[in-house]
Amino acid sequence: GCEVVAEFTITEPETLTATANIIQNVSCNGGSDGEVELIPSGGTNPEIVTITGLEAGTYEEILIDANGCPVTVNFTITEPETLSATVNIIQNVSCNGGSDGIAEVIPSGGTNPEIMTITDLEAGTYEEILTDANGCPVTVNFTITEPDQPLSATVNIIQNVSCNGGNDGEVEVIP
């Protein structure tokens, strides 16, 4: 018998790893517009994976390279607090039939919402929609009131002015 001695090297790919790049967290509380990009490195010809339509939560995804080698990637998608609002009636209409009512819509939660002041309101029931910086809406309802009856009075002339340019006239005003 003849013998042959051969020398050789067996190689292996680099360890497959991956990171999660959060492209977008959920924009409105309870929404499902979160998006993440899973970026692999090492392994054999791994591909970047983009996942859309995510709700807030913690996720565990498995990436597999061309040789079937897996890697687990963990990530968390967040969401803002629920947007809510209250109404502060700054001023009801001061005279029956007027339009000087003022209301302030005061938001909380959401993403950078701003106070909304509404002026020149007539008496009535209103529905207003406030949105935050992400376009998330909240609807509030409120009522502006006015005095029940228009202001009226009776005027009785007690004495006319006695001379032109004088100031001795007298009236009685009865509400």
Side-chain angles (χ1 to χ4, degrees):
C2 299
E3 252 181 60
V4 175
V5 174
E7 226 176 89
F8 58 92
T9 302
I10 296 177
T11 62
E12 66 180 346
E14 290 181 34
T15 301
L16 177 62
T17 61
T19 57
N21 176 31
I22 306 297
I23 295 171
Q24 177 178 310
N25 283 302
V26 173
S27 57
C28 298
N29 187 282
S32 59
D33 61 346
E35 185 174 348
V36 67
E37 185 176 58
L38 305 179
I39 304 169
S41 65
T44 305
N45 299 322
E47 294 183 9
I48 293 174
V49 174
T50 301
I51 305 171
T52 61
L54 297 171
E55 296 177 353
T58 300
Y59 293 85
E60 180 177 284
E61 295 291 329
I62 298 173
L63 286 179
I64 298 175
D65 71 4
N67 286 344
C69 301
V71 63
T72 301
V73 184
N74 296 302
F75 60 93
T76 300
I77 297 291
T78 63
E79 67 185 346
E81 291 181 32
T82 300
L83 177 63
S84 62
T86 58
V87 177
N88 178 23
I89 304 299
I90 294 174
Q91 175 178 308
N92 283 302
V93 174
S94 57
C95 296
N96 187 283
S99 60
D100 62 346
I102 303 171
E104 188 175 60
V105 180
I106 304 167
S108 64
T111 304
N112 300 321
E114 294 183 8
I115 293 173
M116 177 173 41
T117 301
I118 308 161
T119 60
D120 302 324
L121 296 170
E122 297 176 353
T125 300
Y126 292 86
E127 178 178 282
E128 293 291 329
I129 299 172
L130 179 133
T131 56
D132 68 6
N134 287 345
C136 307
V138 63
T139 302
V140 293
N141 296 294
F142 60 94
T143 300
I144 296 291
T145 62
E146 66 183 346
D148 290 336
Q149 308 228 350
L151 183 61
S152 64
T154 303
V155 177
N156 294 326
I157 298 173
I158 295 175
Q159 176 181 333
N160 286 315
V161 175
S162 58
C163 297
N164 188 309
N167 63 357
D168 60 345
E170 188 177 340
V171 296
E172 177 184 37
V173 179
I174 303 168

